[in-house]
Amino acid sequence: MGQEEVEISAPYSKDLRQKLITCHEQGELSEEVVAKRFLVSQRTFKRWWKHYQGSERMVPELMGDGVEPKVNKAAGA
């Protein structure tokens, strides 16, 4: 079986997140309209909005605790 390449998109910029949240926060546009206008999925924007309301942060916290995994990279695991 051949291996397929999987392309992982880069995270959205903090600036873009700020623009969407500010636009919605000022009551200018609904979540759906904001998402469409900035070409972001509604689900993604709703997740950002919910996160922002709970923490007033634009970007999510980093995952993990910064500890290197115990998996041996050279072993291909």
Side-chain angles (χ1 to χ4, degrees):
M1 292 184 182
Q3 291 184 352
E4 294 182 33
E5 287 188 27
V6 177
E7 190 172 314
I8 299 173
S9 60
Y12 290 103
S13 70
K14 182 178 177 182
D15 182 53
L16 178 64
R17 292 171 191 240
Q18 177 68 55
K19 286 178 183 178
L20 273 81
I21 288 173
T22 300
C23 192
H24 183 60
E25 191 172 43
Q26 293 175 347
E28 296 177 23
L29 303 170
S30 69
E31 291 176 355
E32 293 79 13
V33 173
V34 169
K36 282 184 181 181
R37 178 173 285 182
F38 289 94
L39 304 175
V40 173
S41 76
Q42 290 179 23
R43 183 176 181 192
T44 295
F45 178 64
K46 286 181 181 192
R47 192 172 59 243
W48 292 350
W49 179 249
K50 185 177 179 181
H51 180 79
Y52 175 73
Q53 287 180 308
S55 67
E56 295 191 9
R57 289 174 40 99
M58 290 296 142
V59 294
E61 296 175 13
L62 295 175
M63 293 177 61
D65 56 6
V67 176
E68 282 288 320
K70 294 181 181 180
V71 176
N72 185 347
K73 293 178 185 178

